[in-house]
Amino acid sequence: MRVYHAPLLFTFCPNEQPMPSDPKLPPLYRLHRTQPDADMRALGRRHGDGGGEPGTMFWSPRADRFQAAMILAPENPLRVAALAVYLGMLALGDALGSLIPPGIDVTFLWPNRINLNGARLGAVELDVPRGITPATTPDWLVLSFDLAITGGPEATADSIDVNVTNLVDEGCGEVTSGALLEALARHALTWSNRWHDDGFAPLRPAWIARVEAAQEPIDEQFGGGRFVDLDASGDLRAESDGATRTVKLLDALGCLDDR
């Protein structure tokens, strides 16, 4: 099953020259450096609605958070194309793994959360055009990445939430936003090519492995219980009180909600 053709997923525009201090991305990407306080998701949606190039990567050069957005060009209905959120999580998980010290666990919590040593580090969000349905092929998708590098200036000993973490507090203070963007871009290409060649099949067990390693319960907003499986459609199978239920990925992501 082919979801993306690589030439459509990442488009290079040679007339745009990067700044000398920009992260070095594979030439198939088009990098846009944003203002530090830019809304990545809003930028991505405006870019898609305006017919902007797929393969564009928005990036905020701030030191306290990693924030980026990637524009994708799907060829399949949304119910299939939405599986890109798993691609984004795998790419970000591998990017982190390539930069942080050994022995620090990068795990996932369904549907889109990234954990570090069992605490929330960030998430990958999916945005789609307005009015789209699961059976319709969208003109574009946006994957947005957000994770904490530092605890922020407002963090105090009394305000620490043990369920939330950041790279610095976990001993990963050498990881910069630019280095993470470079690693994310490389790993996104790798997973995109695997999806293009072999469909969702190779992504599914790799993603499940990071969820099972977390051994965390499903969030109560999705019914709680424990993770059982991810079916071939990318939907969750969870168990609670001896009963197994299915929760659809698109429902959990909320990307079809009115904005």
Side-chain angles (χ1 to χ4, degrees), residues 2 126 143 162 249:
R2 294 189 175 186
L126 179 71
L143 285 180
V162 296
L249 174 65

Side-chain angles (χ1 to χ4, degrees), residues 26-97:
L28 296 176
Y29 292 93
R30 181 184 185 187
L31 177 64
H32 281 272
R33 174 192 287 256
T34 74
Q35 295 298 317
D37 59 349
D39 184 332
M40 295 289 115
R41 298 178 66 179
L43 282 174
R45 291 194 295 265
R46 286 200 297 269
H47 184 82
D49 285 337
E53 297 279 0
T56 297
M57 182 84 82
F58 293 97
W59 171 67
S60 171
R62 55 191 294 179
D64 61 330
R65 299 198 71 83
F66 172 70
Q67 294 184 321
M70 181 187 301
I71 315 300
L72 309 180
E75 294 183 329
N76 283 59
L78 180 60
R79 67 168 68 95
V80 176
L83 298 174
V85 72
Y86 296 128
L87 181 156
M89 293 177 73
L90 285 166
L92 186 54
D94 286 352
L96 284 165

Side-chain angles (χ1 to χ4, degrees), residues 21-178:
S21 59
D22 279 342
K24 302 301 186 290
L25 305 185
L28 296 176
Y29 292 93
R30 181 184 185 187
L31 177 64
H32 281 272
R33 174 192 287 256
T34 74
Q35 295 298 317
D37 59 349
D39 184 332
M40 295 289 115
R41 298 178 66 179
L43 282 174
R45 291 194 295 265
R46 286 200 297 269
H47 184 82
D49 285 337
E53 297 279 0
T56 297
M57 182 84 82
F58 293 97
W59 171 67
S60 171
R62 55 191 294 179
D64 61 330
R65 299 198 71 83
F66 172 70
Q67 294 184 321
M70 181 187 301
I71 315 300
L72 309 180
E75 294 183 329
N76 283 59
L78 180 60
R79 67 168 68 95
V80 176
L83 298 174
V85 72
Y86 296 128
L87 181 156
M89 293 177 73
L90 285 166
L92 186 54
D94 286 352
L96 284 165
S98 71
L99 296 171
I100 64 179
I104 298 178
D105 294 326
V106 181
T107 55
F108 300 153
L109 185 64
W110 195 84
N112 63 341
R113 195 170 104 183
I114 308 290
N115 284 359
L116 202 64
N117 282 340
R120 180 188 178 98
L121 179 68
V124 178
E125 302 285 351
L126 179 71
D127 282 291
V128 303
R130 292 179 184 272
I132 203 75
T133 69
T136 306
T137 300
D139 292 332
W140 52 265
L141 297 178
V142 177
L143 285 180
S144 301
F145 306 86
D146 182 28
L147 58 82
I149 297 176
T150 70
E154 72 284 355
T156 66
D158 294 333
S159 68
I160 292 176
D161 184 345
V162 296
N163 297 310
V164 178
T165 194
N166 59 76
L167 291 176
V168 169
D169 285 352
E170 298 296 338
C172 310
E174 298 300 314
V175 178
T176 66
S177 179

